[in-house]
Amino acid sequence: MSRSRWGDCVIRTRAGVMAVACLFLMSAAGTIADVTVVRYKGPEDVTDRRQEYFIDLLGLVLERTRDEFGDYRLQRVDRHMFQDRALRYLERGRLIDVVWTMTSVTRERQALPVRIPLFRGLLGYRIFIIRESEQARFDAIDSLGLLADLVGVQGHDWPDLDILRHNGLNVMSSPTYGEIFELMGKGRYDYFPRGVTEAFHEVETHGALSLAVESRILLYYPTAMYFFVSPGNAILASRLERGLRSLVDDGTLDGFLRSHPLSRPAFELGNLEKRRRITLENPLLPPETPLDDQDLWYRP
């Protein structure tokens, strides 16, 4: 139970309201009348489809744990916020109950991570969005040094920005997700590194900009996309961990990853085994990352 919920119960009881009413306020996720309301932020941009995968997965996890934890309702919060702002709300136990984002040491201090990779680590396999006419330019790149001669782009509050810069790459930041594609189409940047589960549907969504998925290069660094919850919300964290672990153990998570419309192209079109792989260091990776648990990670 969150402090705010407990505080509400204390105030009402002192005012003469029966204490039994407080039993309806069960968890920090907002459980009312035995229904857990799980609030999440809306998309960053009208073209942003990335969250569809996570909403579908979150519903699957909550459904898998219904018998143990009770009924649930997902609720989208339509207040515009970038990742860093969403994590600040989560850290304070305000407005939203769950965020899905790449892990880092800083983020795991802010919020409580559920350390089961939602993409099975595929977020660390980075391919590029480029302009359709420039594939030949990338065909000649076979080292990190040559790639450093080009200009990449990432979101201003994404951990990837610091990871890529740490490895010597020339990467600019952009304040908004949608703006990156517009500026790519105008030639402001040379390449946009994306998780292999993201690039194909993003190129399709922005078809009018003459962008394409680069076909030869693969950057890799170990990382994970997790569900994060408020530090005071151990009940929701436990529910998500148990549900996800159940999906891992019976193979459902792998099947979901391979079949979901947004992630399926990674397996059909990604050609990870045939790409020129450049491995990077990830200085932001928390030491608690369960890299030794083979069941959690995709291995191409």
Side-chain angles (χ1 to χ4, degrees), residues 84-154:
D84 53 357
R85 186 178 181 189
L87 285 163
R88 288 197 297 271
Y89 277 125
L90 200 66
E91 183 179 15
R92 299 167 188 165
R94 294 178 52 202
L95 195 64
I96 54 177
D97 302 300
V98 63
V99 168
W100 41 84
T101 193
M102 180 189 288
T103 193
S104 72
V105 171
T106 299
R107 289 179 170 185
E108 293 198 13
R109 289 172 182 160
Q110 282 185 281
L112 185 60
V114 179
R115 293 192 181 98
I116 297 180
L118 305 181
F119 280 136
R120 301 193 66 220
L122 275 176
L123 192 68
Y125 293 86
R126 315 295 287 188
I127 57 180
F128 302 159
I129 293 177
I130 62 173
R131 286 176 291 283
E132 280 182 335
S133 60
E134 298 200 345
Q135 177 60 52
R137 189 179 186 188
F138 288 84
D139 288 341
I141 294 175
D142 60 3
S143 69
L144 193 60
L146 290 175
L147 185 60
D149 292 334
L150 303 182
V151 179
V153 62
Q154 292 284 270

Side-chain angles (χ1 to χ4, degrees), residues 243-261:
L244 282 167
R245 177 58 71 172
S246 174
L247 297 180
V248 168
D249 290 345
D250 68 8
T252 300
L253 180 58
D254 185 67
F256 179 87
L257 176 64
R258 292 174 181 273
S259 62
H260 193 277

Side-chain angles (χ1 to χ4, degrees), residues 19 22 90 105 127 131 194 200 243 253 264 268 286-287 292:
C22 298
L90 200 66
V105 171
I127 57 180
R131 286 176 291 283
R194 304 301 290 137
F200 293 100
L253 180 58
R264 186 175 62 235
E268 297 176 345
D292 293 334

Side-chain angles (χ1 to χ4, degrees), residues 8-22:
D8 188 52
C9 288
V10 172
I11 292 168
R12 292 187 181 199
T13 301
R14 288 176 180 172
V17 179
M18 291 180 63
V20 71
C22 298

Side-chain angles (χ1 to χ4, degrees), residues 1-12 22 25-26:
M1 187 177 297
S2 69
R3 293 178 184 175
S4 61
R5 295 295 188 184
W6 273 115
D8 188 52
C9 288
V10 172
I11 292 168
R12 292 187 181 199
C22 298
L25 302 172
M26 290 294 292

Side-chain angles (χ1 to χ4, degrees), residues 22-278:
C22 298
L23 296 177
F24 291 105
L25 302 172
M26 290 294 292
S27 81
T31 302
I32 299 176
D34 296 325
V35 176
T36 299
V37 179
V38 181
R39 300 165 298 174
Y40 63 92
K41 78 179 189 74
E44 293 185 13
D45 182 89
V46 292
T47 65
D48 186 1
R49 297 182 56 205
R50 293 173 295 170
Q51 68 172 10
E52 294 174 16
Y53 175 93
F54 303 105
I55 296 169
D56 292 343
L57 180 57
L58 180 59
L60 186 62
V61 170
L62 294 172
E63 185 63 33
R64 177 64 68 93
T65 54
R66 182 194 292 270
D67 289 346
E68 182 177 1
F69 289 89
D71 289 336
Y72 64 91
R73 177 166 61 86
L74 290 172
Q75 178 178 312
R76 190 173 93 171
V77 175
D78 287 321
R79 179 180 295 188
H80 185 267
M81 62 185 86
F82 297 115
Q83 291 183 23
D84 53 357
R85 186 178 181 189
L87 285 163
R88 288 197 297 271
Y89 277 125
L90 200 66
E91 183 179 15
R92 299 167 188 165
R94 294 178 52 202
L95 195 64
I96 54 177
D97 302 300
V98 63
V99 168
W100 41 84
T101 193
M102 180 189 288
T103 193
S104 72
V105 171
T106 299
R107 289 179 170 185
E108 293 198 13
R109 289 172 182 160
Q110 282 185 281
L112 185 60
V114 179
R115 293 192 181 98
I116 297 180
L118 305 181
F119 280 136
R120 301 193 66 220
L122 275 176
L123 192 68
Y125 293 86
R126 315 295 287 188
I127 57 180
F128 302 159
I129 293 177
I130 62 173
R131 286 176 291 283
E132 280 182 335
S133 60
E134 298 200 345
Q135 177 60 52
R137 189 179 186 188
F138 288 84
D139 288 341
I141 294 175
D142 60 3
S143 69
L144 193 60
L146 290 175
L147 185 60
D149 292 334
L150 303 182
V151 179
V153 62
Q154 292 284 270
H156 77 282
D157 59 350
W158 299 356
D160 311 88
L161 179 64
D162 292 331
I163 295 170
L164 296 169
R165 286 176 173 175
H166 171 83
N167 286 272
L169 294 177
N170 181 15
V171 183
M172 309 301 290
S173 65
S174 175
T176 66
Y177 171 75
E179 180 184 64
I180 293 176
F181 299 96
E182 295 290 337
L183 294 177
M184 278 293 304
K186 293 177 180 178
R188 180 75 60 86
Y189 312 114
D190 299 314
Y191 67 103
F192 181 19
R194 304 301 290 137
V196 68
T197 56
E198 300 170 317
F200 293 100
H201 71 79
E202 289 176 332
V203 165
E204 180 181 3
T205 299
H206 298 276
L209 297 176
S210 298
L211 302 175
V213 176
E214 196 280 328
S215 63
R216 301 285 299 280
I217 299 171
L218 175 69
L219 296 185
Y220 170 72
Y221 43 88
T223 190
M225 177 80 78
Y226 293 149
F227 285 135
F228 285 81
V229 302
S230 171
N233 199 348
I235 293 175
L236 181 58
S238 177
R239 179 171 188 166
L240 296 179
E241 182 173 9
R242 293 192 196 189
L244 282 167
R245 177 58 71 172
S246 174
L247 297 180
V248 168
D249 290 345
D250 68 8
T252 300
L253 180 58
D254 185 67
F256 179 87
L257 176 64
R258 292 174 181 273
S259 62
H260 193 277
L262 293 190
S263 51
R264 186 175 62 235
F267 300 94
E268 297 176 345
L269 304 172
N271 292 321
L272 298 187
E273 298 84 357
K274 298 180 180 179
R275 287 175 174 267
R276 184 180 298 126
R277 180 165 165 169
I278 301 174

